Amino acid sequence: MKKKSIYILVIYSALGNFIDLSFFTCLPVYLLKGNSSTYAGLSFSLMSLLGMLFLPITGSLIDQGKKKRLLQGTALGLSCLFWAYSFFPREAIFVLSPLVLILLNLHGSLVKASLPLVVAPSDLLRYNALKSSLDTLAIFLAPGISLWIFSSLSFYHLLGLLGFLALVNAIVASFFPLLSGKTESKKFSLGQIKETFLSLKQDGYLLPLVFLFMALNFFIGGVEEIIYPGILLSHYQMEEKFLGFGLSCTSLGAIIAGLSLMKKSSEKNFSGAIFSYIKKNAYLMVLLGGISLLIANKAYYFLLFSLFQLLIGFFTSRVNIPLEVSFQKRVSLEEQGRFFSFLAFSSRVLVPLGILYSGFLVDQVGPGQTLMLNNLCIIILVYIFGKRRVAEGLSKS
């Protein structure tokens, strides 16, 4: 029964990530049709902000303990909303899209909080690695497939497909066991959010990890959107397909790392290595930025870029998967919904701010220099937070 429940969550997560990225990829393009870039950017930002504001509340909903109903309700709600676009005028997008974003935000935190209920602590690393590999594959496929449907047919045909996939996800969730009583928490109140922050503050090991997670979102947030395009497209004058291929190597590295971690039964041996992999990633990006200032030949640089992206994807998964397992173990089951919603909220805030900051820095000093500076900041922060102290705390989790 437990293995069946695990595979249900893994499939549910992968389908949800495909839906999520497909929608986020095509919505800005749809808004841009017939409108200015400013209008499209402001509209998308406003809808994202409205969806983001409900993240703390969705965290408390997850902590109610009725995971099966939430899994089904989230998928059915998405299905209805995607199909509703066809029955309302274009202006309804400003009402429907924030609701879609709320449910998509709920989806990610819900899966993370549900997995520890059906997975033994010793197997969390293995099944998080399986989930990460399939999620990465879904994220890799989503932009190409969704944009092909969008350009060949229409935005509404894409929404119809996403509505069907969400319905399939609801059917998948119907096979998830009805878990009750074990993780029941109080009804939503502002005091619950305060308690979550207090528990973070009291945990001397968890709080530095959360700060480091937030710093990574800020300093690395603009890499794929601003810095890499600045290096490959602007500095080296390459075509967009080369950027796409290079970033595909990142996904390939992440999948390889996930598959390799599936063979492990515990994250204990990887707790201290989290910080080592963060530094390795940062050093690689510093080198990547520095090499762009030294090598003029675009072919040589692209070969190095692709190789580095393979390693970066590998190291990133070697950080993210054990880190997520550590969070699942250290945070009580009654607070995991709020905790993962808080992380999602911080990402939704810090990634756009990081893109804005990196864009400004690229204009001032250049993309290669920005990549170097941002990752030097990461290296400094790893040493500030204290590798040994946090690693010892993780090994106790």
Side-chain angles (χ1 to χ4, degrees):
M1 174 61 75
K2 280 199 170 185
K3 276 199 172 182
K4 176 184 173 183
S5 303
I6 295 167
Y7 294 138
I8 287 170
L9 278 179
V10 168
I11 295 170
Y12 185 91
S13 178
L15 274 174
N17 276 287
F18 182 90
I19 293 168
D20 189 327
L21 194 59
S22 295
F23 184 71
F24 269 102
T25 299
C26 293
L27 179 60
V29 181
Y30 176 72
L31 290 170
L32 191 58
K33 292 183 69 174
N35 298 296
S36 66
S37 298
T38 302
Y39 171 85
L42 286 175
S43 299
F44 183 73
S45 299
L46 180 60
M47 288 185 282
S48 298
L49 178 63
L50 290 173
M52 182 184 68
L53 291 176
F54 285 87
L55 270 172
I57 298 176
T58 59
S60 293
L61 288 174
I62 294 170
D63 290 333
Q64 296 297 319
K66 300 170 183 176
K67 301 296 188 294
K68 179 175 181 176
R69 294 181 186 178
L70 283 172
L71 289 167
Q72 287 180 297
T74 300
L76 281 173
L78 284 170
S79 182
C80 292
L81 287 171
F82 284 134
W83 286 334
Y85 279 89
S86 301
F87 299 99
F88 291 95
R90 180 186 170 97
E91 290 73 20
I93 195 171
F94 295 102
V95 177
L96 296 174
S97 294
L99 296 176
V100 169
L101 295 176
I102 290 170
L103 292 180
L104 289 174
N105 289 333
L106 175 61
H107 162 269
S109 300
L110 181 57
V111 171
K112 292 176 183 178
S114 299
L115 199 60
L117 299 177
V118 294
V119 178
S122 60
D123 290 329
L124 275 173
L125 181 69
R126 178 184 302 147
Y127 289 110
N128 270 289
L130 173 63
K131 182 178 79 69
S132 175
S133 297
L134 289 181
D135 286 349
T136 303
L137 181 61
I139 291 169
F140 172 73
L141 294 173
I145 294 174
S146 60
L147 285 172
W148 178 79
I149 295 173
F150 179 89
S151 59
S152 301
L153 300 172
S154 71
F155 183 58
Y156 293 100
H157 283 89
L158 173 66
L159 292 176
L161 172 64
L162 297 183
F164 173 74
L165 291 178
L167 181 61
V168 170
N169 236 4
I171 296 171
V172 169
S174 68
F175 294 98
F176 192 74
L178 184 61
L179 303 173
S180 61
K182 186 177 178 182
T183 60
E184 290 290 335
S185 67
K186 301 173 185 178
K187 292 184 178 180
F188 170 73
S189 68
L190 294 176
Q192 285 185 334
I193 300 175
K194 183 179 178 182
E195 288 173 12
T196 304
F197 282 108
L198 288 174
S199 64
L200 283 176
K201 187 177 180 181
Q202 292 169 359
D203 193 319
Y205 301 111
L206 190 60
L207 189 59
L209 283 175
V210 172
F211 280 140
L212 190 56
F213 174 85
M214 294 167 70
L216 288 169
N217 278 323
F218 180 79
F219 286 109
I220 310 299
V223 167
E224 294 186 3
E225 291 82 0
I226 299 294
I227 299 176
Y228 288 161
I231 293 175
L232 295 186
L233 306 185
S234 300
H235 181 65
Y236 283 103
Q237 297 294 307
M238 296 185 191
E239 298 178 19
E240 287 83 355
K241 63 183 178 182
F242 289 101
L243 175 63
F245 179 83
L247 295 180
S248 298
C249 292
T250 312
S251 299
L252 178 60
I255 292 172
I256 293 171
L259 294 175
S260 68
L261 286 174
M262 284 174 59
K263 300 177 181 179
K264 309 298 179 182
S265 60
S266 172
E267 93 289 357
K268 186 174 181 179
N269 296 330
F270 294 91
S271 299
I274 288 174
F275 298 90
S276 173
Y277 284 125
I278 292 175
K279 286 193 293 183
K280 286 175 182 176
N281 244 356
Y283 285 132
L284 282 174
M285 289 191 182
V286 170
L287 282 173
L288 201 56
I291 291 171
S292 71
L293 306 178
L294 302 174
I295 295 182
N297 188 299
K298 64 173 69 177
Y300 289 154
Y301 184 81
F302 179 71
L303 287 174
L304 285 173
F305 180 85
S306 300
L307 175 62
F308 276 36
Q309 288 309 306
L310 186 68
L311 294 172
I312 286 169
F314 183 86
F315 292 151
T316 299
S317 281
R318 284 279 180 151
V319 171
N320 290 341
I321 297 170
L323 186 60
E324 186 170 311
V325 173
S326 298
F327 287 152
Q328 289 171 334
K329 285 191 170 187
R330 291 194 68 88
V331 179
S332 67
L333 292 175
E334 293 80 8
E335 293 184 320
Q336 287 201 7
R338 280 167 280 163
F339 177 78
F340 284 116
S341 292
F342 167 73
L343 291 185
F345 178 81
S346 68
S347 297
R348 298 289 190 191
V349 173
L350 291 172
V351 169
L353 289 177
I355 292 174
L356 182 65
Y357 153 80
S358 294
F360 172 78
L361 206 56
V362 165
D363 287 338
Q364 299 300 314
V365 300
Q369 294 91 327
T370 300
L371 190 61
M372 295 173 68
L373 289 171
N374 284 359
N375 284 279
L376 286 172
C377 290
I378 293 295
I379 294 168
I380 292 169
L381 287 172
V382 170
Y383 282 108
I384 289 175
F385 290 141
K387 174 181 174 180
R388 180 178 299 176
R389 182 185 178 209
V390 182
E392 288 174 355
L394 281 172
S395 63
K396 297 174 186 176
S397 58

